[in-house]
Amino acid sequence: MAATETHQAIEAVFRIEQARLIAGLARMVRDVDLAEELAQDALVTALSEWPQTGVPKNPGAWLMAAAKRRAIDRLRRERMLARKHAEINRDLEGERDTGLVDIEAAMDDDVGDELLSLIFIACHPVLPTEARTALTLRLIGGLTTDEIARAFFSNEATIAQRIVRAKKTLRNAGLTFEVPRGKERKERLASVLEVIYLIFNEGYSATAGEDLIRPALCVEAQRLGRILAGLAPDEPEAFGLLALIEIQASRLAARTAPDGSLVPLTEQNRTRWDQLLIRRGLAALDRAEALGGANGAYALQAALAACHARARKAGETDWTRIAALYDTLKDVMPSPVVDLNRAVAYSMAFGPEAGLTLIGEIDQAAALRNYAPMPAAKGDFLFRAGRLAEAKVQFERAAALTRNEREKAFLVSRAAACGG
Amino acid sequence: MRVMVLVKATKDSEAGLMPSTELFEAMGKFNEELISAGILLAGDGLKPSAKGKRVAFDGPGRTVIDGPFAETRELVAGFWLWEVKDLAEAVEWVKRCPNPMPGPSEIEIRPLYEMADFEEAMTPEVSELHDRNREKVASR
């Protein structure tokens, strides 16, 4: 094998093993920063040895053993140092090296459990949200600091600083590195799901011509979602989230026009939707529902996305079902935007008057005051109800509010269609 | 990137020989690893080519050919669809796969075309025509 090929192979191995390696080491030394350093050390050792010896049969175990040796060396050195200091003061006779025994014991723990624990740690609520995101991408996703910086329109120094600070916070928090259980688990899981969805949405909001690392965040979030679902196979919302992002990702190729502007769901070319991802999303949704999680916030949003995914043409959309799902979502995740979407669903399912009734109830919501979709929806209901003059006013208002040029042009044309 | 990972056929797979319990178990474990790494999108095993058919094209002509087919080594006995960062990662994963056959065998990795590969070659008009065609096929 050529030298560069070996190099590539080692890097690929390390990418595959990195998260598990750090996870195992972190539980051992109870320090994420040290764990990452030990993992890097192991990689350096591999880079110097493997080109001569070849890639070992079980590279993951090899790397773990190398890192573990480094950990023990380091601990011994620290112990010796401590002992020398201690000898001056008092006799330490009889003390046993319990630290090493602990390390040996910790090595035998379940690997999947360790990775899950690391995911929970990286998304720990003691950290600010952007630190959780950066740390998750770094430790679990294996992205470099530079890649994370480019993905979030930031610079490398800022992200590096953010990661350093996050690791310090974690160290000072005195965490157990156990997978949270019981009541705590629910709250901690919510944070993990939020981080993954945030990463996904960052990628989803990427526009044409941007650094390719940004849309790649969607793929990264999908991978994280799949890993999480694999590690927590009894958590319905893990599958709810996975379903949601798989289905949303299925539309990536169809949602932008050649000029880079966003194409609304109902106007997308559905032949460009990725059927494989839709199938995977629907399967994940089935699983979430089978686990009793049909009413979870992510599962409900996934179920809404699924209604669109199942319709081969926009005209075949099951709006009655969508309206019913919004009824539930309104209770589970109350928000003015959910209210507005519910009104739209009602207008599609039961006619414009139903939409107007609902929109009347939220007309004064402060959050929607300058929100273009609000007058756009109202204009649409009025137009379909034959109240053209009123509709025109709403379309014009919406056109003035939107920043999207393509949408503005569309709204202006709708206003013009109202005549007078 | 997406890759299709093709398990090539052997005399044994073409003879319909089912994998041993041990291999089933090892393969199950490997699949579990692929799932927990988040890279497995789809996959399945194929029946021997004796159960398959080919349609040969020649201009307007269509000829149906019954299996089994010759050139065993060129046939496919199973496949996976993976989402990986690059080809090197796929190679590393394939190396970890248990030998899928009782004797010597081969696994082939083929990257899928992605939209970006076509974008340079396709003018908007061609792209639109392509979409229209797909739409027609889908609505059938």
Side-chain angles (χ1 to χ4, degrees):
Chain A
M1 215 190 279
T4 51
E5 247 174 86
T6 316
H7 218 90
Q8 266 183 353
I10 296 171
E11 269 167 18
V13 166
F14 189 69
R15 219 160 42 217
I16 292 171
E17 299 297 338
Q18 179 176 238
R20 278 193 288 188
L21 203 55
I22 295 173
L25 293 164
R27 176 166 293 180
M28 223 168 86
V29 299
R30 296 184 185 264
D31 183 341
V32 172
D33 192 30
L34 179 57
E36 206 189 348
E37 201 184 309
L38 290 166
Q40 286 292 335
D41 282 354
L43 171 65
V44 171
T45 316
L47 283 168
S48 77
E49 289 189 18
W50 293 2
Q52 271 91 52
T53 61
V55 177
K57 221 175 190 169
N58 188 339
W62 192 101
L63 286 167
M64 185 51 116
K68 178 185 152 188
R69 271 198 303 279
R70 293 297 287 253
I72 292 173
D73 283 351
R74 189 187 278 257
L75 200 72
R76 279 219 180 95
R77 222 169 29 240
E78 280 165 13
R79 278 284 158 84
M80 288 228 296
L81 220 63
R83 203 163 294 168
K84 273 178 192 151
H85 289 302
E87 273 165 6
I88 303 168
N89 299 326
R90 59 193 172 87
D91 188 15
L92 275 174
E93 208 180 327
E95 196 219 353
R96 288 188 47 205
D97 226 329
T98 48
L100 294 185
V101 179
D102 285 350
I103 287 182
E104 300 283 354
M107 293 297 300
D108 297 332
D109 273 9
D110 176 40
V111 172
D113 206 41
E114 287 168 354
L115 186 55
L116 186 56
S117 151
L118 184 67
I119 295 174
F120 274 113
I121 295 274
C123 300
H124 201 288
V126 295
L127 302 172
T129 310
E130 67 272 18
R132 292 179 213 171
T133 315
L135 208 54
T136 302
L137 286 171
R138 169 68 172 267
L139 296 177
I140 324 293
L143 265 65
T144 64
T145 312
D146 171 56
E147 285 172 323
I148 300 170
R150 284 189 284 128
F152 287 89
F153 296 127
S154 186
N155 61 63
E156 205 175 342
T158 308
I159 297 292
Q161 185 60 31
R162 190 174 290 166
I163 290 173
V164 167
R165 224 177 297 140
K167 286 176 182 165
K168 203 170 155 193
T169 308
L170 290 176
R171 192 181 311 135
N172 294 339
L175 307 171
T176 62
F177 286 83
E178 299 298 324
V179 172
R181 296 185 204 289
K183 227 178 94 186
E184 196 201 351
R185 184 174 172 110
K186 204 178 165 195
E187 185 196 322
R188 297 276 303 276
L189 183 70
S191 173
V192 174
L193 298 171
E194 188 194 349
V195 167
I196 296 176
Y197 197 39
L198 218 134
I199 294 171
F200 181 82
N201 277 316
E202 193 64 33
Y204 210 60
S205 71
T207 50
E210 281 180 4
D211 193 318
L212 283 177
I213 190 74
R214 285 185 41 77
L217 286 177
C218 284
V219 178
E220 197 53 51
Q222 282 168 268
R223 203 170 70 89
L224 288 168
R226 291 171 197 150
I227 291 174
L228 181 68
L231 292 173
D234 299 322
E235 294 291 352
E237 278 290 80
F239 288 91
L241 173 72
L242 181 58
L244 177 59
I245 61 181
E246 298 271 36
I247 297 175
Q248 285 185 334
S250 76
R251 302 177 194 143
L252 272 168
R255 66 195 283 279
T256 40
D259 66 354
S261 59
L262 289 181
V263 182
L265 190 56
T266 46
E267 288 171 35
Q268 287 176 15
N269 178 350
R270 295 181 181 221
T271 57
R272 298 185 90 167
W273 287 0
D274 187 327
Q275 291 300 323
L276 175 68
L277 292 182
I278 289 177
R279 272 199 304 282
R280 293 185 54 85
L282 294 177
L285 180 58
D286 281 348
R287 172 92 183 153
E289 288 171 350
L291 288 168
N295 286 345
Y298 290 109
L300 281 168
Q301 293 173 78
L304 284 164
C307 285
H308 295 292
R310 286 194 188 100
R312 303 253 299 269
K313 292 179 192 144
E316 291 172 7
T317 312
D318 185 352
W319 287 104
T320 312
R321 166 112 179 102
I322 291 179
L325 286 167
Y326 271 119
D327 287 344
T328 316
L329 188 63
K330 181 180 154 59
D331 293 332
V332 175
M333 205 181 77
S335 106
V337 174
V338 170
D339 288 338
L340 176 59
N341 288 337
R342 180 165 165 260
V344 172
Y346 267 69
S347 86
M348 297 302 285
F350 312 115
E353 298 297 341
L356 282 169
T357 307
L358 285 186
I359 218 167
E361 293 168 13
I362 52 169
D363 222 356
Q364 299 310 313
L368 299 177
R369 193 154 296 151
N370 293 313
Y371 188 57
M374 175 77 178
K378 201 170 177 178
D380 181 63
F381 303 166
L382 290 165
F383 182 86
R384 284 156 56 204
R387 293 155 63 179
L388 300 187
E390 290 164 89
K392 189 183 175 73
V393 175
Q394 296 296 331
F395 284 134
E396 280 167 351
R397 180 168 155 65
L401 283 173
T402 186
R403 288 200 194 91
N404 182 323
E405 286 307 316
R406 186 188 164 101
E407 193 176 275
K408 191 190 282 283
F410 175 68
L411 289 163
V412 167
S413 75
R414 287 210 72 178
C418 295
Chain B
M1 68 188 293
R2 283 187 188 172
V3 291
M4 176 150 275
V5 181
L6 302 163
V7 176
K8 303 309 265 305
T10 63
K11 267 199 188 92
D12 291 318
S13 71
E14 276 296 279
L17 190 78
M18 294 306 276
S20 66
T21 320
E22 290 78 21
L23 180 56
F24 251 127
E25 205 173 296
M27 207 48 108
K29 263 194 148 155
F30 179 63
N31 274 320
E32 247 171 55
E33 272 195 62
L34 295 173
I35 292 169
S36 54
I39 67 167
L40 179 59
L41 296 179
D44 254 314
L46 308 186
K47 289 182 178 175
S49 73
K51 310 260 184 196
K53 283 183 193 296
R54 275 181 182 169
V55 179
F57 290 71
D58 189 2
R62 307 284 185 270
T63 315
V64 178
I65 306 158
D66 291 334
F69 310 119
E71 301 113 20
T72 299
R73 276 168 51 90
E74 300 307 318
L75 299 174
V76 175
F79 73 95
W80 283 287
L81 204 54
W82 294 348
E83 175 91 57
V84 288
K85 287 216 170 121
D86 51 30
L87 211 53
E89 189 182 336
V91 169
E92 278 315 310
W93 277 108
V94 169
K95 280 194 206 159
R96 290 167 189 219
C97 181
N99 183 350
M101 303 289 168
S105 70
E106 249 177 14
I107 292 183
E108 185 174 313
I109 308 167
R110 303 276 298 273
L112 270 63
Y113 275 116
E114 280 161 33
M115 277 325 283
D117 296 316
F118 292 118
E119 262 157 25
E120 276 178 28
M122 266 200 223
T123 61
E125 293 75 29
V126 174
S127 168
E128 199 186 306
L129 174 74
H130 192 67
D131 286 342
R132 264 208 312 275
N133 286 341
R134 279 205 281 188
E135 204 161 0
K136 274 185 217 152
V137 173
S139 61
R140 237 166 237 167

